[in-house]
Amino acid sequence: MFPQLSRPRGPAAVEGPTQRDPGSISNDTTFNDPRSSTRSSFSIADVETGFLPGESTTRKKWMKAFLPSSLLAKHRRSSSSDSDLAKRAKRRLKWLTCTIIVLAIVLLGVTSAFLALQIPRRGSQAKNGVELIASRWGLPSPSTQQGLTVWPTDFSRDIQPIACHSHNDYWRRVPLYDAIAAGCTGVEADIWTDAKSPGELFVGHTRKSLTASRTLESLYIEPLLTILNNANAPSAFSDPPANDTTVSTTPNHKTGIFSTSPSTSLTLLIDLKTDAATTFPVLLTALQPLVAANYLTTYSPASDSLVRGPITVVATGLTNFTANILSPANTSPFRFVFFDAPLSALSTLAPTAMDMAYNTTNSYYASVSFKEAIGDVGWWRRQLSTMQAWE
């Protein structure tokens, strides 16, 4: 129990400005603990709250912050009581910490669930057939082709074609469709032939990456045929007036892939990776379904006319200009595979007869290796030299 406070007998026993009557002792009066061999002072406020003599101010504040008044009133000055009180305070602190952590986890879970419900599932809110097919890529064929039947006239709705090229398009998650969804007007496919599978054109960056299911026909020709067949399906409104800008302006009125710009032609860049003598003829054969449907850009030597189609095929890589592009198989009755002309030959000051052979009737692209034409810029320079800039 609390020590009995009695009036001290010596003037030195009371530490204060003046000696007062016990009945008028204030809370700021301090006393010595008569039970302690060492001198320690405590106030009446400490005694009333149950603090031990000599307890630090920090400890007092800590206990007042975490202990209710009921526990402070029961506090005893004995070491055993003090130990029990500290344990209770620690348990209370742990309980409070655990409660806060649990509430935080619950709040985080509720917030995550709310946000997940706000984000529509991919494919459920597809704006057009392209996005629907991309969302269902890899599912059985009927589900994939559903995107071409749900919106037969709005397959590429809200997609604005832009002058961008999908390099190595077969690396996209969904070849061809991802490029169309982005508005790209050009896609590239590297093709290979293999002696074990004559007549097949396999698509891949290296020979080791080739698979039997990834062919030019399965990844590009068949999807393009399906898209364009649906876009050009017969209807009661197949013959628009001459001033109708919502349809293709080509003579045969073939509508292109992009609904917002039906006259825009999609460039299919074919990079031959194997010998052109054997690969190019197989390519001409593979393109025949698109040729028969009048979906390709063509040039007729007889009438000297170039007709733009929904798709323009350009050959590059190991393609030979004279042996392949100008060959009778690609010229009669019209040319439907065009060349990626060397830009360096077109910019020479002394062009040869071969340099002058490249024109819009046989070439669609003109490109050059940046390193071969300009030189190595170098990561340390980060800019072109004066001579490189003039070149």
Side-chain angles (χ1 to χ4, degrees):
M1 298 300 291
F2 300 129
Q4 297 294 329
L5 298 179
S6 61
R7 185 172 183 177
R9 297 184 178 181
V14 178
E15 296 181 359
T18 58
Q19 291 187 357
R20 302 178 183 178
D21 185 83
S24 61
I25 295 178
S26 63
N27 288 336
D28 60 350
T29 304
T30 58
F31 293 86
N32 293 328
D33 185 2
R35 302 184 306 171
S36 176
S37 59
T38 61
R39 186 180 182 185
S40 61
S41 59
F42 58 95
S43 65
I44 292 179
D46 293 342
V47 174
E48 291 176 349
T49 55
F51 288 115
L52 293 175
E55 287 181 320
S56 65
T57 303
T58 303
R59 178 178 174 82
K60 293 176 182 178
K61 291 181 178 180
W62 181 78
M63 295 177 68
K64 287 180 180 180
F66 291 98
L67 294 180
S69 57
S70 58
L71 290 179
L72 288 174
K74 296 180 180 180
H75 179 49
R76 297 294 182 266
R77 290 168 296 173
S78 63
S79 59
S80 59
S81 298
D82 182 66
S83 177
D84 293 341
L85 190 62
K87 291 179 180 180
R88 292 182 182 180
K90 290 181 179 179
R91 285 197 298 268
R92 181 181 177 89
L93 182 60
K94 290 181 179 180
W95 178 86
L96 183 62
T97 303
C98 293
T99 302
I100 294 175
I101 293 176
V102 171
L103 291 177
I105 294 175
V106 172
L107 180 61
L108 180 61
V110 172
T111 304
S112 301
F114 176 77
L115 293 177
L117 293 176
Q118 299 303 312
I119 302 176
R121 293 179 301 174
R122 186 173 184 180
S124 61
Q125 300 294 330
K127 295 186 298 182
N128 48 56
V130 181
E131 293 185 2
L132 185 62
I133 289 179
S135 66
R136 298 180 177 180
W137 183 259
L139 297 178
S141 180
S143 298
T144 302
Q145 297 301 324
Q146 183 180 356
L148 300 174
T149 58
V150 174
W151 293 292
T153 59
D154 292 327
F155 171 75
S156 56
R157 182 182 62 182
D158 295 333
I159 299 177
Q160 297 294 334
I162 56 178
C164 69
H165 176 72
S166 179
H167 180 65
N168 291 342
D169 180 75
Y170 46 86
W171 277 348
R172 311 292 170 239
R173 192 187 71 85
V174 185
L176 180 63
Y177 292 103
D178 279 351
I180 296 176
C184 291
T185 56
V187 295
E188 178 190 7
D190 298 343
I191 62 172
W192 307 69
T193 55
D194 188 83
K196 296 182 179 179
S197 302
E200 287 286 351
L201 294 174
F202 301 97
V203 176
H205 193 63
T206 61
R207 184 172 290 276
K208 290 184 177 180
S209 65
L210 304 180
T211 60
S213 61
R214 295 175 67 86
T215 64
L216 183 67
E217 182 180 12
S218 64
L219 294 182
Y220 295 97
I221 295 179
E222 287 185 354
L224 288 172
L225 273 173
T226 307
I227 294 171
L228 293 174
N229 285 340
N230 279 271
N232 293 276
S235 68
F237 309 98
S238 295
D239 296 322
N243 60 350
D244 191 346
T245 59
T246 63
V247 296
S248 174
T249 57
T250 55
N252 54 10
H253 295 297
K254 293 298 182 180
T255 300
I257 292 176
F258 301 99
S259 301
T260 57
S261 182
S263 297
T264 298
S265 182
L266 177 73
T267 303
L268 179 60
L269 181 63
I270 305 296
D271 190 345
L272 274 65
K273 295 295 186 181
T274 48
D275 180 51
T278 57
T279 306
F280 194 80
V282 179
L283 173 63
L284 296 181
T285 303
L287 294 173
Q288 287 305 311
L290 294 173
V291 173
N294 293 322
Y295 290 149
L296 298 184
T297 296
T298 60
Y299 168 73
S300 174
S303 60
D304 191 23
S305 60
L306 182 68
V307 179
R308 297 286 184 183
I311 302 172
T312 300
V313 180
V314 181
T316 186
L318 297 179
T319 304
N320 185 279
F321 177 72
T322 303
N324 301 138
I325 302 300
L326 301 183
S327 65
N330 188 43
T331 305
S332 180
F334 45 76
R335 178 176 296 121
F336 55 90
V337 177
F338 296 84
F339 192 54
D340 177 16
L343 183 60
S344 57
L346 300 179
S347 61
T348 180
L349 298 177
T352 63
M354 177 59 69
D355 295 337
M356 298 179 65
Y358 305 116
N359 53 59
T360 57
T361 67
N362 53 49
S363 302
Y364 185 78
Y365 276 154
S367 61
V368 68
S369 170
F370 184 88
K371 185 175 182 180
E372 292 178 3
I374 305 298
D376 190 7
V377 176
W379 62 268
W380 63 90
R381 194 180 308 166
R382 297 187 180 181
Q383 63 181 2
L384 298 177
S385 64
T386 304
M387 182 174 295
Q388 287 176 324
W390 277 105
E391 291 180 355

